[in-house]
C-alpha cells in the first residue's frame, strides 16, 4: 500500500489562525461571496507555524501550482494552461525523492525553525488545498474530492489473476519430481541476467500442463525473490478473461516492490485518470516503463537483485470487450486482436526498451501467438520458444504422478493396494502425453465418498453403456466441448463458409485421420487420404483445411508429410486419444456428436458431385489417372470418388434424389467411359455394392433409376467376364451373405 496521508489536515487547520486577526470580516466576506465558512474542525492550532510564499512550497520539493479557473455552471475546475506533469520543473526528481528529503538534500537544515507557506496571503480558501505525503499528495479544486491515484489503480486490477489469489486456491502445479527438465530450463532462463532472449513463449496442446508449470514457476520465483508480477487468464472468470486489467495488475505488483515506483505510478494515474481506457501500449509505457526507468536513473535500484520475472498464463483465454454484443466472428476477431495487441505492447515496451524483465507467456498455439512466433512473425527473432507437446515426453512424469497419488490414497484409507503397474501403464497410454487426462482420472478416483478400486475399474473399463451415472471424464469433456464450440462459431460465421457444417467437416477429417472405419466392409475405404486430397473430394477450395483447423491447434495439427518423403501431402495429427474418445461417443459429445451415417451420406454426395463436375478426368485414354493437367490432390480425390462411391451408397439412406440427379446427368455413363484399372482387385465387390444399393434403397421410390443402374451393372459384369476377372475376388460371396 502507498504511504497513508497524515491524519491531521495541516493546512486546513491554519484557517482559524488567519481568522484571529479578522475572523468576523473574513467569515462575512466569504458568506457574501457565496463561499461556505470553514468547518469547525479547521480552527486554529497555536502550535502550528504559519506558511510563507508559494516559492517556499517549491523549495520543499513540490511542483509549482497550476492556476485554475472555474467553468460556469459545471462546478469543475479546469487548468487555464495545460502543462504535462512530466514537463514541470523538477517533476521527475520529485517522484524519486522521499517526503523526508527535500530536493536540495538538506534535511537537517529545516529542523528547529518555523516554516511559513503563505506569508501575506489573503482571500484564500482552505478547502482548496490539503497536505499529504508527497507520494500521495491530493489537490482539491472548488471543494471537489480529487483523484486518489492508488485507489483508482486498485479499481482497475484483477485480484483473481494473481498466482496466489484465493480464487485460485486449488490451482494445479507440478509435483516435485515431475516436469523437472522443463522447469529447470525455465528457471535457468529466468535467473540468467544476460539471456539471449528476454521473452519466453511456451505453447502446448490443451491439457499439456502449461498452467501447472506456470503456477510452479510462480511459486519457485516467489521463494527465490525473482517474481515481479503474474497474471493468470481464465475464460470462465469475467474479472480476468480480458486484457483490460492486465497492465494495471502488473503495475500494482511492481509498485509493491519499491516505494518510489509506486509513487511514480500514483502520479501517472493522477495526471491521467483515463489512462486505463487507453491502449495497452500507452498504459504499459505510463504505468510500468517510465516509472521503472525513473527509478533506474535515480541510482537507487540494484538491477542485479531486483525481481525480474513477469508471468502471463493462458493468453489464448483472453477475450475481447466483455460488453460487446456481436456475432461469433467478431468476437473471435476481437479476442485475437487483443491478444496480438498485448504481445505487440510487450515487445515494444519491454524488449525494444531493453528493460531487464523476463516475460514468460504460456498459451495454446492459437492464431495470435502462433503467427507472431512463426517465420516472419514479429516475435520470431526475439522470443525463446518451448513447444511443450512436441519437445517434452511427459509419460514418465505421469507414471510418477499416478503412483504417488494412488499410494497416498492407500495410506489414507489404510487398505491394501488396489491398483497394479499395468493399470497405471494403461492410464498413461490413454493420456497420449497430456497431463489433463491423468489429473482428471485422479480427481475422479480420489473422491472421498467413493471406492478408489471401483472407480479405477470404471475408468479402465469405461464405455457409454456403463450408464449416465458414471462420468469419470466430465471435466475433460467440458474442456473439449468449449474448444469445439468456439471453433465452430468462429468458422461458420465467416461469409465464405456460409452453408458449411463445421462439425460434419471436422468429423470427416477426424474419421479419415484416425481410420475409424466401419468393420467388415466389402471394399476397404480408401483412407487415410491426405488432408488436401480430402478437401478436394469434399469440394472445398485449396487450403480450406487451414481455416477449418485454425482454432483447433490445441487439439490437432496439420503436418506436411514431405518430412516422410511424400511431398505436398498434408496429414492431420491429433494430440489426444482422449479427444477421439470424446468425439466418438454421443453420451460425451452430446450436441457436438456427428454419427457415421451423416459423414458417409455427405461423402456420397461429394463423390457424385465430384464425378459430374470433372469431365476431363473421364477421357478414354488408358493413362487418364496420370493426366498431368490435374493437380495431384484433385486427381487422387477423383480416383477415390469412383472407387468408394458404391460403398458409400450402401452405407447411406435417403439419398434417392441425389442418385436420381447423378443418373440424369449421365454419371454412370461417365464411369463407363474409363477403364478403372485400380478397381480390378475389388471389382466384384464394387459391382455387388452397386446392385445391392439399387435393390434395397431406391427400388420403391426411383424405379427408373434402378433400371439405368441395373443396365450398367449387367454391362460391367459382362466386361468382368470378358476380362477374365469374374470370381477373382474371393470376398464376393461372403460379402453378399455376411455384410449388413
Amino acid at each position: 500500500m502507498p504511504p497513508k496521508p497524515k491524519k491531521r489536515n495541516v493546512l486546513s487547520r491554519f484557517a482559524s489562525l488567519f481568522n484571529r486577526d479578522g475572523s468576523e470580516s473574513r467569515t462575512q466576506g466569504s458568506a457574501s461571496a457565496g463561499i461556505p465558512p470553514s468547518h469547525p474542525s479547521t480552527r486554529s492550532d497555536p502550535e502550528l507555524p504559519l506558511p510563507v510564499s508559494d516559492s517556499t512550497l517549491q523549495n520543499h520539493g513540490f511542483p509549482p501550482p497550476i492556476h485554475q479557473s472555474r467553468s460556469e455552471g459545471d462546478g469543475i475546475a479546469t487548468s487555464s494552461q495545460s502543462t504535462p506533469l512530466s514537463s514541470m520543473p523538477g517533476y521527475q526528481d520529485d517522484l524519486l525523492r522521499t517526503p523526508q528529503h527535500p530536493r536540495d538534500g538538506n534535511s537537517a537544515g529545516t529542523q528547529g525553525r518555523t516554516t511559513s507557506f503563505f506569508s501575506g496571503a489573503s482571500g484564500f480558501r482552505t478547502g482548496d488545498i490539503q497536505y499529504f505525503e508527497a507520494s500521495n499528495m491530493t489537490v482539491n479544486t472548488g471543494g471537489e474530492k480529487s483523484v486518489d491515484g492508488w485507489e483508482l489503480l486498485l479499481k482497475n486490477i484483477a485480484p483473481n489473476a494473481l498466482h496466489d489469489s484465493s480464487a485460485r486456491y486449488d490451482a494445479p502445479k507440478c509435483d516435485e519430481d515431475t516436469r523437472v527438465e522443463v522447469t529447470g530450463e525455465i528457471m535457468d532462463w529466468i535467473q540468467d541476467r544476460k539471456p539471449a532472449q528476454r521473452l519466453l513463449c511456451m505453447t502446448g496442446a490443451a491439457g499439456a500442463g502449461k498452467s501447472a508449470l506456470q503456477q510452479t514457476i510462480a511459486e519457485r520465483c516467489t521463494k527465490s525473490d525473482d517474481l515481479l508480477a503474474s497474471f493468470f487468464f481464465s475464460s470462465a472468470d469475467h474479472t480476468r478473461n480480458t486484457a483490460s486489467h492486465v497492465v494495471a495488475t502488473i503495475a500494482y505488483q511492481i509498485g509493491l516492490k519499491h516505494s518510489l515506483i509506486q509513487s511514480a505510478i500514483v502520479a501517472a494515474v493522477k495526471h491521467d485518470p483515463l489512462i486505463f481506457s487507453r491502449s495497452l501500449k500507452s498504459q504499459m509505457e505510463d504505468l510500468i516503463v517510465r516509472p521503472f526507468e525513473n527509478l533506474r536513473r535515480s541510482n537507487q535500484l540494484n538491477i542485479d537483485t531486483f525481481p525480474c520475472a513477469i508471468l502471463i498464463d493462458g493468453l489464448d483465454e483472453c477475450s475481447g470487450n466483455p460488453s460487446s454484443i456481436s456475432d461469433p466472428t467478431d468476437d473471435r476477431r476481437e479476442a485475437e486482436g487483443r491478444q496480438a495487441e498485448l504481445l505487440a505492447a510487450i515487445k515494444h515496451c519491454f524488449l525494444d526498451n531493453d528493460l531487464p524483465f523476463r516475460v514468460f507467456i504460456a498459451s495454446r498455439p492459437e492464431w495470435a501467438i502462433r503467427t507472431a512466433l512463426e517465420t516472419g512473425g514479429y516475435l520470431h527473432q526475439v522470443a525463446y520458444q518451448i513447444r511443450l507437446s512436441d519437445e517434452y515426453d511427459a509419460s514418465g512424469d505421469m507414471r510418477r504422478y499416478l503412483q504417488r497419488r494412488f499410494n497416498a490414497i492407500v495410506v489414507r484409507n489404510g487398505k491394501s493396494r488396489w491398483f497394479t503397474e499395468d493399470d497405471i501403464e494403461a492410464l498413461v497410454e490413454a493420456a497420449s502425453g497430456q497431463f489433463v487426462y491423468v489429473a482428471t482420472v485422479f480427481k475422479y478416483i480420489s473422491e472421498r465418498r467413493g471406492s478408489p478400486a471401483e472407480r479405477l475399474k470404471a475408468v479402465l473399463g469405461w464405455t457409454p453403456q456403463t450408464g449416465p451415472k458414471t462420468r469419470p471424464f466430465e471435466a475433460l469433456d467440458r474442456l473439449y466441448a468449449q474448444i469445439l464450440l468456439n471453433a465452430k462459431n468462429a468458422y461458420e460465421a465467416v461469409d465464405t463458409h456460409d452453408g458449411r457444417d463445421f462439425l460434419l467437416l471436422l468429423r470427416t477429417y477426424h474419421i479419415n485421420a484416425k481410420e475409424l472405419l466401419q468393420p467388415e466392409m466389402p471394399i476397404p475405404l480408401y483412407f487415410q487420404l491426405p488432408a488436401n486430397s480430402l478437401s478436394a473430394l469434399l469440394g472445398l477450395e485449396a487450403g480450406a483445411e487451414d481455416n477449418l483447423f485454425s482454432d483447433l491447434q490445441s487439439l490437432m495439427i496439420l503436418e506436411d508429410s514431405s518430412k516422410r518423403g511424400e511431398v505436398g501431402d498434408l496429414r492431420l495429427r491429433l494430440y489426444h486419444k482422449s479427444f477421439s474418445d470424446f468425439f466418438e461417443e454421443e453420451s460425451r459429445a452430446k450436441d457436438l456428436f456427428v454419427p457415421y451415417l451423416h459423414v458417409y451420406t455427405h461423402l456420397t454426395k461429394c463423390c457424385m458431385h465430384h464425378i459430374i463436375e470433372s469431365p476431363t478426368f473421364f477421357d478414354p485414354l488408358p493413362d487418364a489417372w496420370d493426366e498431368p493437367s490435374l493437380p495431384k490432390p484433385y486427381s487422387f480425390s477423383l480416383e477415390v470418388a469412383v472407387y468408394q462411391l458404391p460403398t458409400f451408397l450402401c452405407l447411406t439412406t435417403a439419398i434417392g434424389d441425389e442418385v436420381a440427379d447423378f443418373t440424369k446427368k449421365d454419371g454412370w455413363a461417365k464411369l463407363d467411359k474409363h477403364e478403372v484399372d485400380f478397381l480390378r482387385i475389388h471389382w466384384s465387390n464394387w459391382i455387388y455394392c452397386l446392385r445391392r444399393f439399387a435393390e434395397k434403397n431406391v427400388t420403391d421410390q426411383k424405379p427408373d433409376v434402378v433400371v439405368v443402374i441395373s443396365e450398367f451393372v449387367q454391362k460391367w459384369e459382362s466386361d468382368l467376364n470378358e476380362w477374365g476377372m469374374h470370381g477373382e475376388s474371393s470376398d464376393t460371396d461372403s460379402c453378399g451373405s455376411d455384410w449388413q
Side-chain angles (χ1 to χ4, degrees):
M1 293 296 293
K4 294 182 178 179
K6 293 183 177 180
K7 293 182 179 180
R8 300 171 66 183
N9 192 332
V10 179
L11 295 182
S12 65
R13 297 185 63 185
F14 285 158
S16 57
L17 290 178
F18 286 94
N19 289 338
R20 295 178 72 177
D21 294 329
S23 59
E24 289 188 18
S25 61
R26 286 197 177 91
T27 302
Q28 293 172 357
S30 297
S32 64
I35 302 174
S38 301
H39 192 276
S41 64
T42 63
R43 292 188 178 182
S44 63
D45 186 339
E47 297 178 359
L48 296 177
L50 292 174
V52 292
S53 64
D54 291 341
S55 60
T56 306
L57 187 66
Q58 297 184 48
N59 292 335
H60 282 74
F62 293 95
I66 302 176
H67 297 289
Q68 311 256 322
S69 62
R70 180 179 296 276
S71 299
E72 288 292 331
D74 58 8
I76 301 175
T78 57
S79 173
S80 60
Q81 182 177 358
S82 178
T83 305
L85 287 177
S86 58
S87 65
M88 292 179 180
Y91 165 70
Q92 293 184 353
D93 293 338
D94 293 336
L95 293 177
L96 300 175
R97 196 173 34 73
T98 60
Q100 294 77 17
H101 295 80
R103 185 161 47 196
D104 58 10
N106 184 13
S107 59
T110 63
Q111 299 179 3
R113 63 183 176 87
T114 299
T115 302
S116 177
F117 288 89
F118 299 109
S119 178
S122 64
F124 77 99
R125 293 168 52 202
T126 59
D128 289 345
I129 300 177
Q130 295 180 1
Y131 175 81
F132 292 97
E133 295 291 350
S135 65
N136 202 28
M137 184 180 69
T138 302
V139 179
N140 283 348
T141 58
E144 297 289 337
K145 185 176 180 180
S146 69
V147 173
D148 185 319
W150 191 254
E151 289 297 324
L152 185 55
L153 177 74
L154 293 180
K155 291 179 180 179
N156 284 275
I157 71 170
N160 288 358
L162 304 179
H163 85 279
D164 55 355
S165 166
S166 61
R168 305 186 66 253
Y169 70 94
D170 61 345
K173 59 182 178 180
C174 305
D175 287 357
E176 289 185 2
D177 60 349
T178 63
R179 315 313 293 262
V180 174
E181 185 179 359
V182 64
T183 52
E185 180 179 347
I186 295 170
M187 288 302 298
D188 288 345
W189 170 80
I190 289 174
Q191 294 174 343
D192 181 0
R193 290 293 167 172
K194 294 183 179 180
Q197 293 100 359
R198 286 173 287 114
L199 172 64
L200 168 60
C201 295
M202 180 174 69
T203 58
K210 301 180 295 299
S211 293
L213 279 165
Q214 277 278 25
Q215 182 69 24
T216 300
I217 295 299
E219 294 182 6
R220 292 191 182 184
C221 286
T222 299
K223 291 181 180 179
S224 62
D225 199 25
D226 288 311
L227 183 64
L228 184 59
S230 63
F231 194 99
F232 283 70
F233 282 103
S234 172
S235 60
D237 186 341
H238 72 277
T239 69
R240 55 188 176 109
N241 65 358
T242 72
S244 304
H245 304 306
V246 172
V247 179
T249 306
I250 292 175
Y252 158 76
Q253 296 171 82
I254 297 176
L256 296 180
K257 299 296 183 181
H258 202 290
S259 61
L260 295 183
I261 294 183
Q262 186 181 106
S263 299
I265 293 171
V266 168
V269 175
K270 291 172 66 175
H271 173 57
D272 183 8
L274 298 180
I275 182 63
F276 304 107
S277 65
R278 304 195 186 281
S279 69
L280 297 179
K281 175 174 169 287
S282 295
Q283 292 183 47
M284 211 170 282
E285 287 177 338
D286 289 351
L287 300 179
I288 299 177
V289 177
R290 291 193 183 105
F292 185 85
E293 290 286 17
N294 287 338
L295 177 61
R296 183 158 64 173
R297 285 195 297 268
S298 73
N299 295 322
Q300 298 188 46
L301 176 68
N302 185 346
I303 296 295
D304 293 333
T305 60
F306 194 75
C308 63
I310 297 177
L311 312 182
I312 300 175
D313 181 64
L315 178 70
D316 54 281
E317 298 195 39
C318 171
S319 62
N321 186 347
S323 63
S324 63
I325 301 177
S326 54
D327 62 59
T329 301
D330 291 339
D331 290 342
R332 171 59 62 180
R333 187 179 297 113
E334 185 175 357
E336 292 172 346
R338 290 293 271 175
Q339 294 167 21
E341 181 190 5
L342 179 57
L343 291 173
I346 289 172
K347 178 184 182 299
H348 174 81
C349 295
F350 295 165
L351 306 186
D352 295 349
N353 282 301
D354 196 28
L355 296 186
F357 301 151
R358 308 289 180 275
V359 184
F360 175 25
I361 300 174
S363 175
R364 297 173 191 163
E366 304 295 5
W367 177 86
I369 196 167
R370 190 174 73 248
T371 55
L373 292 172
E374 66 187 11
T375 303
Y378 57 89
L379 295 180
H380 180 68
Q381 297 293 333
V382 298
Y384 172 32
Q385 185 175 5
I386 293 178
R387 297 175 179 85
L388 190 60
S389 299
D390 298 332
E391 298 172 2
Y392 292 92
D393 182 6
S395 298
D397 290 333
M398 287 188 286
R399 290 188 191 94
R400 288 187 287 273
Y401 173 90
L402 290 174
Q403 287 168 345
R404 181 188 300 103
R405 300 300 174 94
F406 286 178
N407 283 326
I409 296 176
V410 171
V411 173
R412 184 185 73 196
N413 294 344
K415 297 181 179 180
S416 60
R417 181 165 162 157
W418 40 266
F419 65 93
T420 67
E421 294 301 321
D422 288 342
D423 295 337
I424 290 180
E425 285 300 319
L427 294 174
V428 171
E429 182 179 356
S432 302
Q434 307 308 316
F435 246 100
V436 67
Y437 181 87
V438 295
T440 301
V441 166
F442 171 71
K443 286 183 179 179
Y444 177 73
I445 291 175
S446 63
E447 286 290 337
R448 293 183 179 272
R449 292 176 176 80
S451 165
E454 290 300 320
R455 286 179 175 255
L456 174 61
K457 182 179 179 181
V459 170
L460 294 173
W462 188 87
T463 65
Q465 289 72 36
T466 56
K469 292 183 179 180
T470 305
R471 299 190 60 80
F473 307 117
E474 187 171 3
L476 194 61
D477 292 350
R478 285 198 300 268
L479 171 65
Y480 291 149
Q482 188 60 51
I483 294 173
L484 282 180
L485 280 173
N486 290 341
K488 176 181 183 297
N489 292 336
Y491 181 84
E492 293 183 353
V494 176
D495 291 343
T496 54
H497 301 160
D498 184 41
R500 295 182 183 178
D501 186 330
F502 171 83
L503 292 174
L504 177 61
L505 293 175
L506 177 63
R507 182 78 165 115
T508 304
Y509 283 94
H510 174 246
I511 290 175
N512 175 63
K514 295 299 295 181
E515 296 186 281
L516 301 171
L517 313 179
Q518 291 281 18
E520 300 179 1
M521 285 184 173
I523 302 178
L525 289 180
Y526 209 107
F527 284 14
Q528 295 175 334
L529 283 177
N532 40 350
S533 294
L534 182 56
S535 295
L537 178 61
L538 294 172
L540 305 179
E541 69 278 5
E545 59 279 352
D546 290 329
N547 293 326
L548 187 70
F549 303 117
S550 177
D551 296 307
L552 296 171
Q553 298 291 318
S554 61
L555 298 178
M556 55 195 72
I557 186 173
L558 280 172
E559 295 181 325
D560 189 344
S561 60
S562 60
K563 298 177 182 177
R564 300 190 296 270
E566 302 173 17
V567 179
D569 285 343
L570 295 175
R571 302 283 176 177
L572 183 67
R573 178 167 69 90
L574 284 79
Y575 289 125
H576 304 261
K577 177 183 181 297
S578 57
F579 172 73
S580 286
D581 295 340
F582 162 81
F583 211 25
E584 280 288 297
E585 303 294 347
E586 185 175 7
S587 62
R588 295 179 64 184
K590 298 181 179 178
D591 292 341
L592 302 175
F593 177 71
V594 179
Y596 276 97
L597 177 62
H598 292 181
V599 174
Y600 292 141
T601 299
H602 185 63
L603 283 171
T604 304
K605 295 176 182 179
C606 289
C607 287
M608 291 188 292
H609 181 78
H610 212 29
I611 293 170
I612 290 296
E613 297 297 323
S614 305
T616 57
F617 169 74
F618 298 96
D619 191 292
L621 296 175
D623 59 348
W625 288 114
D626 300 321
E627 180 64 45
S629 62
L630 293 175
K632 178 182 176 182
Y634 193 79
S635 61
F636 189 39
S637 65
L638 282 168
E639 179 180 345
V640 173
V642 175
Y643 180 77
Q644 300 290 181
L645 178 58
T647 305
F648 287 151
L649 283 169
C650 286
L651 292 171
T652 60
T653 58
I655 196 82
D657 290 339
E658 287 78 4
V659 175
D661 185 65
F662 180 77
T663 304
K664 181 179 179 180
K665 294 180 178 178
D666 295 329
W668 308 111
K670 289 184 178 182
L671 289 177
D672 187 52
K673 289 182 180 179
H674 183 69
E675 179 182 335
V676 276
D677 292 334
F678 67 94
L679 280 177
R680 288 182 183 274
I681 191 171
H682 294 294
W683 186 243
S684 296
N685 290 344
W686 193 90
I687 295 176
Y688 164 77
C689 289
L690 196 57
R691 184 193 301 112
R692 175 173 175 167
F693 169 77
E695 293 173 352
K696 291 190 175 182
N697 290 61
V698 296
T699 301
D700 296 335
Q701 299 179 5
K702 308 288 182 182
D704 53 332
V705 173
V706 173
V707 171
V708 175
I709 295 177
S710 298
E711 290 177 352
F712 278 102
V713 167
Q714 293 175 5
K715 178 181 184 302
W716 291 331
E717 285 181 328
S718 175
D719 291 340
L720 190 65
N721 291 326
E722 183 179 342
W723 297 338
M725 295 180 61
H726 187 71
E728 181 174 322
S729 174
S730 60
D731 296 333
T732 304
D733 295 336
S734 62
C735 289
S737 59
D738 298 336
W739 185 56
Q740 300 299 323

